[in-house]
Amino acid sequence: MRLPDGPWLIGFGRQNGNFACLDAATGAVRWELPIHASAGDVVSCDINGDGADEFIFGDSHGHLWAVGDDGGKPKVVWKIDLGASVGTPVVADLAGDGAMEIIVPTGDGNLTVVGGPE
């Protein structure tokens, strides 16, 4: 994920139940967020249109997360309970309206689309 002022960050799940964010240039830990689950694959995009990217990832307990960086601290933008373990998110403008939607497979065999027309 790239910060608005240029530096790159790397986000990933740790085996201790935390989501970690590292400074890509130095490898230094910027912050960790306790999620109390195993995090899956991570993507990034500006999911809420505020001009800053967020990490988007699912977890083993059925939650889809959007987490940003707030001056060196984690900022949970939202957390959605999807009811079953969440696989790799795909971010795309499915509706062709300029707003991003997130498509995720869940452990119950479904595909879920988050965002888009209500």
Side-chain angles (χ1 to χ4, degrees):
M1 174 174 92
R2 190 168 191 180
L3 293 175
D5 60 350
W8 287 90
L9 304 177
I10 300 169
F12 59 94
R14 292 202 167 189
Q15 291 183 340
N16 65 359
N18 289 346
F19 183 82
C21 175
L22 305 182
D23 179 301
T26 66
V29 175
R30 189 168 169 94
W31 48 259
E32 286 196 33
L33 174 68
I35 63 170
H36 309 290
S38 297
D41 293 332
V42 182
V43 299
S44 68
C45 71
D46 178 8
I47 199 63
N48 60 355
D50 68 353
D53 285 350
E54 290 81 31
F55 292 117
I56 310 295
F57 62 93
D59 73 28
S60 57
H61 292 270
H63 298 104
L64 181 64
W65 297 75
V67 178
D69 181 89
D70 186 16
K73 297 180 181 175
K75 177 183 176 185
V76 177
V77 176
W78 46 253
K79 174 183 167 185
I80 302 170
D81 186 354
L82 298 180
S85 61
V86 179
T88 303
V90 174
V91 179
D93 179 7
L94 295 175
D97 61 0
M100 294 296 165
E101 290 81 37
I102 303 168
I103 307 99
V104 291
T106 52
D108 59 4
N110 291 306
L111 283 176
T112 299
V113 177
V114 176
E118 305 212 7

XYZ file of all heavy atoms in Angstrom:
848
model
N 0.851 -1.161 0.000
C 0.000 0.000 0.000
C 0.902 1.230 0.000
O 1.905 1.260 0.702
C -0.884 -0.044 1.246
C -1.727 1.166 1.463
S -2.866 0.951 2.853
C -1.886 1.618 4.180
N 0.525 2.229 -0.771
C 1.324 3.453 -0.821
C 0.622 4.561 -0.042
O -0.575 4.804 -0.221
C 1.532 3.890 -2.260
C 2.529 5.000 -2.370
C 2.946 5.231 -3.792
N 4.090 6.140 -3.796
C 4.680 6.542 -4.875
N 4.285 6.105 -6.047
N 5.686 7.373 -4.793
N 1.381 5.229 0.811
C 0.847 6.368 1.553
C 0.753 7.579 0.623
O 1.511 7.680 -0.345
C 1.748 6.698 2.745
C 1.792 5.646 3.851
C 2.823 6.035 4.908
C 0.423 5.460 4.472
N -0.163 8.510 0.905
C -0.308 9.686 0.035
C 0.983 10.491 -0.142
O 1.198 11.082 -1.194
C -1.373 10.528 0.749
C -2.182 9.537 1.514
C -1.189 8.479 1.948
N 1.884 10.477 0.851
C 3.135 11.225 0.729
C 4.271 10.402 0.130
O 5.419 10.843 0.109
C 3.550 11.828 2.072
C 3.768 10.788 3.161
O 3.425 9.609 2.959
O 4.294 11.163 4.228
N 3.981 9.183 -0.358
C 4.952 8.421 -1.122
C 5.472 7.109 -0.591
O 5.713 6.196 -1.368
N 5.725 6.960 0.724
C 6.286 5.689 1.201
C 5.340 4.496 0.976
O 4.116 4.655 0.977
C 6.497 5.918 2.699
C 6.543 7.389 2.872
C 5.643 7.945 1.797
N 5.943 3.331 0.812
C 5.196 2.093 0.639
C 5.151 1.320 1.951
O 6.125 1.281 2.695
C 5.852 1.220 -0.425
C 5.645 1.754 -1.800
C 6.452 2.630 -2.472
C 4.570 1.447 -2.677
N 5.942 2.891 -3.712
C 4.782 2.178 -3.873
C 3.447 0.639 -2.581
C 3.914 2.114 -4.953
C 2.579 0.577 -3.657
C 2.813 1.302 -4.826
N 4.002 0.675 2.206
C 3.801 -0.164 3.385
C 3.436 -1.570 2.940
O 2.857 -1.763 1.874
C 2.677 0.395 4.266
C 2.823 1.834 4.737
C 1.588 2.245 5.535
C 4.086 2.012 5.559
N 3.784 -2.544 3.769
C 3.437 -3.941 3.524
C 2.562 -4.407 4.681
O 2.907 -4.202 5.844
C 4.698 -4.822 3.444
C 5.606 -4.356 2.312
C 4.319 -6.296 3.284
C 6.977 -4.998 2.319
N 1.430 -5.018 4.367
C 0.531 -5.531 5.402
C 0.366 -7.034 5.281
O 0.262 -7.567 4.166
N 0.335 -7.725 6.421
C 0.177 -9.181 6.405
C -0.280 -9.662 7.774
O -0.085 -8.987 8.789
C 1.487 -9.875 6.010
C 2.635 -9.575 6.931
C 2.935 -10.416 7.992
C 3.417 -8.437 6.750
C 3.992 -10.136 8.840
C 4.471 -8.149 7.590
C 4.757 -9.006 8.648
N -0.846 -10.856 7.795
C -1.249 -11.473 9.050
C -0.089 -12.207 9.684
O 0.724 -12.811 8.987
N -0.021 -12.124 11.004
C 1.007 -12.851 11.764
C 0.362 -14.041 12.448
O -0.846 -14.068 12.676
C 1.632 -11.940 12.815
C 2.441 -10.838 12.183
C 3.437 -10.305 13.147
N 4.384 -9.475 12.407
C 5.469 -8.997 12.917
N 5.790 -9.237 14.160
N 6.278 -8.258 12.193
N 1.180 -15.021 12.817
C 0.662 -16.217 13.475
C 0.180 -15.944 14.886
O -0.506 -16.768 15.465
C 1.725 -17.316 13.484
C 1.989 -17.861 12.105
C 2.999 -19.002 12.119
O 3.764 -19.163 13.062
N 2.985 -19.794 11.067
N 0.470 -14.780 15.429
C 0.032 -14.445 16.782
C -1.360 -13.821 16.830
O -1.798 -13.336 17.862
C 1.049 -13.519 17.465
C 1.168 -12.164 16.791
O 0.514 -11.874 15.797
N 2.046 -11.321 17.327
N -2.070 -13.788 15.690
C -3.415 -13.223 15.648
C -3.454 -11.728 15.396
O -4.507 -11.110 15.496
N -2.319 -11.147 15.033
C -2.257 -9.722 14.717
C -2.122 -9.520 13.217
O -1.625 -10.387 12.501
C -1.057 -9.054 15.396
C -1.222 -8.925 16.883
O -2.312 -9.084 17.427
N -0.128 -8.622 17.566
N -2.537 -8.344 12.762
C -2.260 -7.885 11.409
C -1.132 -6.870 11.544
O -1.228 -5.933 12.345
C -3.495 -7.239 10.780
C -3.277 -6.823 9.358
C -3.390 -7.747 8.336
C -2.945 -5.521 9.046
C -3.168 -7.377 7.020
C -2.728 -5.132 7.730
C -2.836 -6.067 6.706
N -0.047 -7.065 10.805
C 1.129 -6.213 10.927
C 1.297 -5.336 9.692
O 0.973 -5.738 8.573
C 2.380 -7.066 11.120
N 1.842 -4.163 9.921
C 2.173 -3.228 8.854
C 3.641 -2.853 8.995
O 4.074 -2.419 10.067
C 1.290 -1.981 8.969
S 1.696 -0.692 7.779
N 4.394 -3.036 7.904
C 5.821 -2.721 7.896
C 6.115 -1.592 6.918
O 5.440 -1.456 5.888
C 6.652 -3.935 7.462
C 6.490 -5.247 8.204
C 7.449 -6.280 7.639
C 6.688 -5.072 9.685
N 7.139 -0.827 7.213
C 7.681 0.141 6.277
C 8.447 -0.667 5.227
O 9.381 -1.403 5.570
C 8.616 1.100 7.018
C 9.249 2.123 6.100
O 9.938 1.723 5.140
O 9.063 3.317 6.366
N 8.064 -0.557 3.968
C 8.675 -1.380 2.922
C 10.150 -1.050 2.703
O 10.928 -1.922 2.345
C 7.907 -1.229 1.612
N 10.557 0.179 2.922
C 11.946 0.575 2.686
C 12.899 0.029 3.741
O 14.032 -0.332 3.431
C 12.056 2.095 2.630
N 12.433 -0.041 4.990
C 13.332 -0.432 6.077
C 13.013 -1.780 6.702
O 13.842 -2.365 7.382
C 13.279 0.608 7.210
O 11.964 0.587 7.804
C 13.606 2.005 6.703
N 11.783 -2.249 6.502
C 11.345 -3.485 7.145
C 10.936 -3.292 8.590
O 10.566 -4.250 9.271
N 10.962 -2.062 9.075
C 10.585 -1.771 10.459
C 9.079 -1.912 10.651
O 8.292 -1.519 9.784
C 11.021 -0.360 10.840
N 8.693 -2.464 11.790
C 7.267 -2.574 12.112
C 6.723 -1.174 12.365
O 7.241 -0.432 13.198
C 7.045 -3.467 13.355
C 5.570 -3.475 13.744
C 7.544 -4.879 13.095
N 5.692 -0.822 11.628
C 5.033 0.482 11.795
C 3.952 0.386 12.858
O 3.806 1.248 13.691
C 4.477 0.936 10.454
C 3.955 2.347 10.432
C 3.716 2.771 8.992
N 2.991 4.005 8.885
C 3.559 5.204 8.748
N 4.874 5.314 8.741
N 2.820 6.283 8.644
N 3.165 -0.701 12.788
C 2.133 -0.972 13.781
C 1.646 -2.405 13.649
O 1.897 -3.058 12.647
C 0.956 -0.001 13.691
C 0.357 0.247 12.327
C 0.587 1.338 11.528
C -0.580 -0.572 11.607
N -0.131 1.237 10.361
C -0.867 0.081 10.389
C -1.205 -1.789 11.856
C -1.738 -0.440 9.437
C -2.086 -2.311 10.914
C -2.328 -1.633 9.720
N 0.951 -2.868 14.690
C 0.248 -4.151 14.663
C -1.147 -3.939 15.211
O -1.353 -3.140 16.131
C 0.976 -5.205 15.495
C 2.236 -5.706 14.831
C 2.762 -7.004 15.437
O 1.951 -7.835 15.888
O 3.989 -7.169 15.438
N -2.094 -4.658 14.638
C -3.495 -4.582 15.043
C -3.955 -5.969 15.463
O -3.926 -6.900 14.649
C -4.353 -4.088 13.869
C -5.863 -4.079 14.071
C -6.266 -3.031 15.108
C -6.559 -3.806 12.738
N -4.387 -6.152 16.712
C -4.916 -7.451 17.126
C -6.240 -7.734 16.401
O -7.187 -6.954 16.521
C -5.151 -7.301 18.627
C -4.398 -6.092 19.047
C -4.321 -5.206 17.842
N -6.276 -8.807 15.618
C -7.527 -9.197 14.956
C -8.051 -10.514 15.516
O -9.154 -10.928 15.179
C -7.378 -9.263 13.419
C -6.372 -10.333 12.996
C -7.022 -7.897 12.858
C -6.356 -10.615 11.504
N -7.249 -11.183 16.356
C -7.647 -12.422 17.036
C -8.114 -13.502 16.071
O -9.048 -14.250 16.351
C -8.730 -12.129 18.077
C -8.357 -11.022 19.006
N -7.367 -11.148 19.954
C -8.792 -9.735 19.092
C -7.235 -10.001 20.612
N -8.085 -9.124 20.101
N -7.431 -13.578 14.920
C -7.746 -14.558 13.884
C -6.560 -14.638 12.937
O -5.620 -13.853 13.036
C -9.007 -14.136 13.118
N -6.624 -15.572 11.996
C -5.623 -15.652 10.934
C -6.089 -14.795 9.767
O -7.221 -14.938 9.305
C -5.467 -17.097 10.454
O -4.991 -17.916 11.492
N -5.236 -13.894 9.323
C -5.558 -13.051 8.171
C -5.196 -13.783 6.888
O -4.203 -14.496 6.829
C -4.808 -11.731 8.246
N -6.016 -13.575 5.870
C -5.745 -14.161 4.564
C -4.939 -13.207 3.694
O -4.275 -12.287 4.190
N -4.996 -13.432 2.384
C -4.282 -12.584 1.433
C -4.789 -11.154 1.521
O -5.969 -10.904 1.803
C -4.465 -13.104 0.016
C -3.797 -14.452 -0.194
O -2.806 -14.745 0.503
O -4.263 -15.211 -1.057
N -3.893 -10.220 1.248
C -4.172 -8.795 1.417
C -4.075 -8.083 0.075
O -3.158 -8.329 -0.705
C -3.152 -8.158 2.399
C -3.453 -6.692 2.632
C -3.118 -8.925 3.713
N -5.020 -7.192 -0.182
C -4.963 -6.282 -1.324
C -5.085 -4.868 -0.768
O -5.405 -4.685 0.410
C -6.068 -6.565 -2.372
C -5.933 -7.972 -2.933
C -7.457 -6.366 -1.789
N -4.844 -3.871 -1.601
C -5.039 -2.504 -1.140
C -5.677 -1.665 -2.227
O -5.484 -1.908 -3.426
C -3.720 -1.872 -0.688
O -2.864 -1.665 -1.778
N -6.450 -0.699 -1.783
C -7.076 0.274 -2.666
C -7.695 1.362 -1.792
O -7.791 1.209 -0.578
C -8.139 -0.364 -3.552
S -9.630 -0.850 -2.675
N -8.119 2.435 -2.410
C -8.840 3.482 -1.698
C -10.312 3.084 -1.709
O -11.062 3.476 -2.593
C -8.614 4.834 -2.369
C -9.372 5.958 -1.695
O -9.962 5.734 -0.615
O -9.396 7.067 -2.254
N -10.724 2.304 -0.737
C -12.068 1.727 -0.743
C -13.143 2.726 -0.328
O -14.301 2.578 -0.691
C -12.131 0.442 0.123
C -13.344 -0.402 -0.248
C -12.090 0.783 1.603
C -13.339 -0.925 -1.647
N -12.776 3.769 0.407
C -13.797 4.714 0.871
C -13.721 6.080 0.199
O -14.430 7.005 0.592
C -13.731 4.860 2.396
C -12.397 5.362 2.883
O -11.465 5.533 2.105
N -12.295 5.602 4.176
N -12.861 6.232 -0.813
C -12.808 7.469 -1.588
C -12.210 8.663 -0.870
O -12.439 9.799 -1.278
N -11.407 8.421 0.168
C -10.821 9.535 0.913
C -9.431 9.935 0.412
O -8.781 10.802 0.980
C -10.762 9.221 2.408
C -9.784 8.103 2.763
O -9.229 7.456 1.844
O -9.587 7.863 3.969
N -8.965 9.288 -0.659
C -7.655 9.608 -1.222
C -6.505 8.813 -0.643
O -5.366 8.973 -1.067
N -6.776 7.973 0.351
C -5.737 7.133 0.966
C -6.117 5.667 0.812
O -7.281 5.302 0.969
C -5.590 7.482 2.453
N -5.123 4.843 0.495
C -5.382 3.410 0.351
C -5.607 2.750 1.706
O -5.123 3.225 2.736
C -4.206 2.723 -0.335
C -4.146 3.002 -1.822
O -5.110 3.567 -2.371
O -3.128 2.649 -2.436
N -6.325 1.650 1.668
C -6.541 0.800 2.837
C -6.126 -0.622 2.485
O -6.174 -1.020 1.314
C -8.017 0.788 3.268
C -8.516 2.073 3.870
C -8.886 3.142 2.858
O -9.331 2.820 1.745
O -8.704 4.332 3.193
N -5.717 -1.387 3.506
C -5.511 -2.817 3.345
C -6.891 -3.472 3.415
O -7.682 -3.174 4.315
C -4.641 -3.387 4.469
C -3.214 -2.925 4.454
C -2.705 -2.176 5.498
C -2.368 -3.265 3.409
C -1.379 -1.770 5.507
C -1.043 -2.864 3.409
C -0.547 -2.107 4.458
N -7.162 -4.399 2.499
C -8.410 -5.147 2.476
C -8.036 -6.617 2.632
O -7.245 -7.140 1.846
C -9.185 -4.956 1.152
C -9.319 -3.466 0.789
C -10.528 -5.668 1.192
C -10.140 -2.650 1.749
N -8.609 -7.288 3.636
C -8.295 -8.695 3.858
C -9.422 -9.357 4.639
O -10.199 -8.709 5.331
C -6.965 -8.849 4.621
C -6.947 -8.235 5.990
C -7.256 -8.992 7.111
C -6.631 -6.902 6.163
C -7.246 -8.426 8.376
C -6.611 -6.324 7.424
C -6.927 -7.088 8.533
N -9.493 -10.667 4.477
C -10.444 -11.461 5.250
C -9.721 -12.228 6.328
O -8.491 -12.321 6.337
N -10.518 -12.788 7.248
C -9.898 -13.590 8.300
C -10.600 -14.932 8.474
O -11.647 -15.189 7.874
C -9.794 -12.807 9.617
C -11.104 -12.597 10.348
O -12.036 -13.408 10.217
O -11.195 -11.601 11.095
N -9.993 -15.759 9.288
C -10.485 -17.120 9.508
C -11.780 -17.170 10.313
O -12.438 -18.195 10.349
C -9.406 -17.945 10.222
O -9.044 -17.326 11.449
N -12.160 -16.066 10.932
C -13.375 -16.020 11.745
C -14.548 -15.373 11.025
O -15.572 -15.061 11.650
C -13.096 -15.304 13.071
C -12.178 -16.071 13.959
N -12.613 -16.990 14.880
C -10.828 -16.084 14.048
C -11.579 -17.526 15.504
N -10.480 -16.996 15.006
N -14.413 -15.144 9.717
C -15.539 -14.668 8.915
C -15.661 -13.170 8.756
O -16.712 -12.679 8.356
N -14.590 -12.432 9.026
C -14.660 -10.978 8.904
C -13.868 -10.482 7.696
O -12.802 -11.002 7.390
C -14.110 -10.305 10.168
C -14.883 -10.645 11.386
N -14.431 -11.541 12.324
C -16.108 -10.251 11.802
C -15.335 -11.669 13.276
N -16.370 -10.898 12.983
N -14.414 -9.476 7.051
C -13.721 -8.753 5.990
C -13.351 -7.393 6.574
O -14.194 -6.710 7.158
C -14.630 -8.580 4.773
C -14.026 -7.853 3.578
C -12.855 -8.643 2.989
C -15.093 -7.609 2.518
N -12.077 -7.031 6.456
C -11.540 -5.829 7.070
C -11.083 -4.824 6.025
O -10.551 -5.202 4.986
C -10.312 -6.159 7.905
C -10.488 -7.057 9.066
C -10.676 -8.416 9.048
C -10.451 -6.691 10.445
N -10.758 -8.898 10.327
C -10.623 -7.863 11.210
C -10.274 -5.477 11.117
C -10.626 -7.856 12.598
C -10.279 -5.477 12.499
C -10.457 -6.653 13.228
N -11.230 -3.526 6.350
C -10.585 -2.426 5.638
C -9.830 -1.640 6.706
O -10.445 -1.089 7.625
C -11.602 -1.546 4.940
N -8.496 -1.637 6.599
C -7.659 -1.006 7.621
C -6.691 -0.048 6.936
O -5.963 -0.437 6.026
C -6.870 -2.057 8.433
C -5.973 -1.384 9.460
C -7.812 -3.046 9.101
N -6.686 1.192 7.395
C -5.776 2.194 6.874
C -4.679 2.530 7.865
O -4.644 1.994 8.976
N -3.812 3.415 7.432
C -2.739 3.896 8.288
C -3.065 5.330 8.671
O -3.318 6.171 7.817
C -1.405 3.856 7.541
C -0.257 4.324 8.404
O 0.329 3.481 9.100
O 0.055 5.537 8.372
N -3.066 5.601 9.966
C -3.381 6.928 10.476
C -2.159 7.484 11.201
O -2.059 7.397 12.420
C -4.589 6.849 11.418
C -5.075 8.201 11.887
O -4.702 9.222 11.276
O -5.834 8.242 12.874
N -1.212 7.995 10.421
C -0.019 8.586 11.007
C 0.832 7.622 11.810
O 1.382 7.985 12.841
N 0.918 6.384 11.348
C 1.733 5.390 12.046
C 0.962 4.528 13.015
O 1.554 3.755 13.766
N -0.370 4.624 12.992
C -1.232 3.783 13.822
C -2.299 3.159 12.933
O -2.684 3.739 11.920
C -1.906 4.609 14.916
C -0.934 5.219 15.891
C -1.661 6.017 16.938
C -0.636 6.639 17.878
N -1.252 7.519 18.844
N -2.796 1.972 13.312
C -3.847 1.360 12.500
C -5.169 2.104 12.654
O -5.478 2.628 13.736
C -3.956 -0.060 13.068
C -3.474 0.062 14.467
C -2.438 1.147 14.460
N -5.918 2.175 11.560
C -7.249 2.779 11.584
C -8.216 1.804 10.919
O -8.148 1.576 9.708
C -7.247 4.104 10.825
C -8.623 4.743 10.750
C -8.583 6.013 9.938
C -9.980 6.579 9.783
N -9.967 7.758 8.896
N -9.095 1.194 11.720
C -10.095 0.289 11.163
C -11.178 1.138 10.509
O -11.917 1.854 11.185
C -10.691 -0.641 12.241
C -11.784 -1.516 11.641
C -9.602 -1.489 12.884
N -11.243 1.082 9.184
C -12.241 1.839 8.430
C -13.592 1.152 8.568
O -14.604 1.795 8.798
C -11.815 1.984 6.954
C -12.881 2.672 6.128
C -10.485 2.732 6.869
N -13.589 -0.168 8.409
C -14.763 -0.989 8.695
C -14.358 -2.438 8.839
O -13.274 -2.834 8.431
C -15.897 -0.832 7.684
C -15.552 -0.857 6.221
C -15.536 0.203 5.374
C -15.204 -1.999 5.415
N -15.186 -0.202 4.115
C -14.989 -1.549 4.111
C -15.041 -3.352 5.677
C -14.622 -2.394 3.072
C -14.682 -4.207 4.644
C -14.478 -3.714 3.360
N -15.270 -3.195 9.458
C -15.115 -4.640 9.648
C -16.506 -5.229 9.461
O -17.450 -4.823 10.133
C -14.587 -4.917 11.052
C -14.505 -6.368 11.436
C -14.023 -6.465 12.886
C -14.197 -7.841 13.457
N -13.838 -7.881 14.881
N -16.624 -6.172 8.530
C -17.923 -6.758 8.194
C -17.900 -8.240 8.531
O -16.976 -8.954 8.143
C -18.243 -6.571 6.693
C -18.244 -5.082 6.325
C -19.570 -7.218 6.343
C -18.301 -4.832 4.834
N -18.919 -8.708 9.217
C -19.050 -10.135 9.546
C -19.769 -10.835 8.394
O -20.939 -10.560 8.136
C -19.833 -10.309 10.849
C -19.873 -11.756 11.320
O -19.406 -12.654 10.600
O -20.384 -11.977 12.434
N -19.053 -11.729 7.699
C -19.640 -12.473 6.586
C -20.046 -13.888 6.977
O -20.562 -14.635 6.157
C -18.672 -12.497 5.398
C -18.340 -11.123 4.804
C -17.369 -11.268 3.642
C -19.601 -10.397 4.368
N -19.800 -14.280 8.225
C -20.315 -15.533 8.745
C -19.510 -16.787 8.480
O -19.803 -17.827 9.039
N -18.531 -16.718 7.597
C -17.684 -17.882 7.298
C -16.312 -17.359 6.897
O -16.180 -16.205 6.476
C -18.291 -18.720 6.171
N -15.284 -18.199 7.026
C -13.928 -17.755 6.699
C -13.911 -17.068 5.333
O -14.627 -17.450 4.421
C -12.957 -18.929 6.718
O -13.340 -19.895 5.758
N -13.074 -16.040 5.225
C -13.067 -15.183 4.041
C -11.783 -15.415 3.253
O -10.685 -15.366 3.809
C -13.188 -13.696 4.445
C -13.162 -12.799 3.218
C -14.465 -13.466 5.252
N -11.936 -15.660 1.958
C -10.790 -15.898 1.080
C -10.220 -14.609 0.518
O -10.495 -13.508 1.005
N -9.436 -14.748 -0.529
C -8.737 -13.622 -1.150
C -9.707 -12.631 -1.765
O -10.518 -12.997 -2.619
C -7.770 -14.125 -2.230
O -6.860 -15.058 -1.643
C -7.004 -12.979 -2.863
N -9.643 -11.359 -1.360
C -10.526 -10.357 -1.949
C -10.062 -9.945 -3.344
O -8.868 -9.913 -3.635
C -10.432 -9.169 -0.988
C -9.244 -9.408 -0.137
C -8.836 -10.832 -0.270
N -11.031 -9.638 -4.175
C -10.776 -9.060 -5.491
C -11.506 -7.718 -5.505
O -12.700 -7.662 -5.203
C -11.299 -9.964 -6.628
C -11.152 -9.286 -7.975
C -10.597 -11.309 -6.611
N -10.780 -6.659 -5.823
C -11.362 -5.320 -5.854
C -11.524 -4.915 -7.307
O -10.572 -4.976 -8.085
C -10.474 -4.317 -5.099
C -11.074 -2.923 -5.160
C -10.279 -4.752 -3.656
N -12.746 -4.507 -7.673
C -13.022 -4.119 -9.056
C -14.231 -3.194 -9.092
O -15.073 -3.213 -8.192
C -13.298 -5.359 -9.911
N -14.326 -2.414 -10.150
C -15.490 -1.565 -10.380
C -16.506 -2.372 -11.187
O -16.592 -2.244 -12.403
C -15.070 -0.294 -11.115
C -16.235 0.635 -11.409
O -17.357 0.368 -10.935
O -16.025 1.633 -12.128
N -17.251 -3.215 -10.501
C -18.206 -4.099 -11.179
C -19.355 -3.350 -11.831
O -19.854 -3.755 -12.884
C -18.776 -5.121 -10.187
C -17.793 -6.121 -9.603
C -18.488 -6.985 -8.560
C -17.184 -6.977 -10.690
N -19.798 -2.271 -11.208
C -20.959 -1.529 -11.704
C -20.579 -0.499 -12.770
O -21.467 0.096 -13.384
C -21.665 -0.837 -10.535
N -19.284 -0.285 -12.975
C -18.843 0.686 -13.970
C -19.148 2.123 -13.592
O -19.267 2.988 -14.455
N -19.248 2.387 -12.291
C -19.619 3.725 -11.819
C -18.464 4.479 -11.169
O -18.659 5.552 -10.596
C -20.783 3.624 -10.839
C -20.463 2.792 -9.605
O -19.327 2.279 -9.498
O -21.357 2.637 -8.761
N -17.259 3.924 -11.223
C -16.108 4.573 -10.624
C -15.884 4.219 -9.168
O -14.883 4.604 -8.588
N -16.819 3.507 -8.547
C -16.681 3.081 -7.153
C -16.277 1.605 -7.124
O -16.763 0.808 -7.925
C -17.988 3.273 -6.391
N -15.400 1.270 -6.216
C -14.910 -0.101 -6.130
C -15.834 -0.990 -5.302
O -16.384 -0.561 -4.297
C -13.517 -0.134 -5.510
C -12.472 0.522 -6.349
S -12.287 -0.377 -7.890
C -11.378 0.792 -8.846
N -15.989 -2.208 -5.771
C -16.661 -3.252 -5.016
C -15.620 -4.304 -4.670
O -14.569 -4.380 -5.301
C -17.800 -3.901 -5.824
C -19.009 -3.015 -6.042
C -18.856 -2.017 -7.181
O -18.245 -2.342 -8.208
O -19.359 -0.893 -7.020
N -15.926 -5.107 -3.655
C -15.028 -6.179 -3.236
C -15.782 -7.490 -3.387
O -16.908 -7.630 -2.891
C -14.599 -6.007 -1.767
C -13.930 -4.653 -1.561
C -13.661 -7.140 -1.356
C -13.749 -4.286 -0.107
N -15.159 -8.448 -4.065
C -15.723 -9.784 -4.245
C -14.858 -10.731 -3.425
O -13.629 -10.717 -3.558
C -15.699 -10.224 -5.725
C -16.351 -9.171 -6.619
C -16.377 -11.575 -5.894
C -15.381 -8.278 -7.288
N -15.495 -11.532 -2.558
C -14.740 -12.492 -1.758
C -15.447 -13.837 -1.733
O -16.665 -13.912 -1.645
C -14.511 -12.019 -0.297
C -13.566 -10.860 -0.244
C -15.798 -11.705 0.392
N -14.663 -14.923 -1.815
C -15.234 -16.244 -1.560
C -15.264 -16.473 -0.056
O -14.405 -15.975 0.680
C -14.236 -17.189 -2.237
C -12.923 -16.459 -2.145
C -13.256 -14.994 -2.215
N -16.269 -17.188 0.400
C -16.346 -17.513 1.822
C -16.368 -19.026 2.000
O -16.712 -19.773 1.079
C -17.583 -16.875 2.481
O -18.747 -17.206 1.733
C -17.441 -15.357 2.559
N -16.009 -19.449 3.203
C -15.872 -20.867 3.511
C -17.155 -21.662 3.417
O -17.122 -22.894 3.418
N -18.292 -20.997 3.296
C -19.563 -21.704 3.144
C -19.919 -21.944 1.684
O -21.011 -22.382 1.356
C -20.686 -20.958 3.865
C -20.885 -19.536 3.368
O -20.212 -19.123 2.398
O -21.712 -18.816 3.965
N -18.976 -21.622 0.766
C -19.179 -21.898 -0.658
C -19.800 -20.762 -1.443
O -20.133 -20.935 -2.615
N -19.964 -19.607 -0.842
C -20.581 -18.474 -1.531
C -19.547 -17.464 -1.991
O -18.419 -17.435 -1.492
C -21.574 -17.771 -0.586
C -22.784 -18.618 -0.312
O -23.451 -19.080 -1.222
N -23.067 -18.830 0.959
N -19.952 -16.630 -2.939
C -19.218 -15.430 -3.309
C -20.040 -14.261 -2.788
O -21.251 -14.220 -2.968
C -19.075 -15.289 -4.820
C -18.039 -16.149 -5.503
C -18.096 -15.945 -7.015
C -16.644 -15.837 -5.008
N -19.369 -13.313 -2.148
C -20.066 -12.155 -1.597
C -19.500 -10.901 -2.250
O -18.287 -10.774 -2.418
C -19.868 -12.072 -0.081
O -20.408 -13.264 0.515
C -20.558 -10.864 0.516
N -20.388 -9.990 -2.636
C -19.990 -8.691 -3.183
C -20.306 -7.643 -2.134
O -21.434 -7.548 -1.654
C -20.714 -8.363 -4.505
C -20.335 -6.971 -4.995
C -20.404 -9.416 -5.561
N -19.292 -6.874 -1.756
C -19.452 -5.807 -0.768
C -19.316 -4.485 -1.514
O -18.346 -4.268 -2.238
C -18.394 -5.914 0.339
C -18.497 -4.743 1.308
C -18.524 -7.239 1.070
N -20.295 -3.602 -1.338
C -20.302 -2.311 -1.999
C -21.217 -2.351 -3.194
O -21.919 -3.326 -3.452
N -21.234 -1.272 -3.942
C -22.070 -1.188 -5.123
C -23.452 -0.658 -4.820
O -23.743 -0.211 -3.716
N -24.332 -0.712 -5.822
C -25.686 -0.179 -5.661
C -26.426 -0.869 -4.518
O -26.292 -2.064 -4.320
C -26.364 -0.495 -6.998
C -25.252 -0.727 -7.951
C -24.095 -1.255 -7.141
N -27.162 -0.078 -3.778
C -27.897 -0.637 -2.631
C -29.336 -0.871 -2.965
O -29.902 -0.324 -3.782
C -27.750 0.309 -1.460
C -26.284 0.550 -1.206
C -25.959 0.796 0.250
O -26.829 0.661 1.101
O -24.814 1.105 0.489
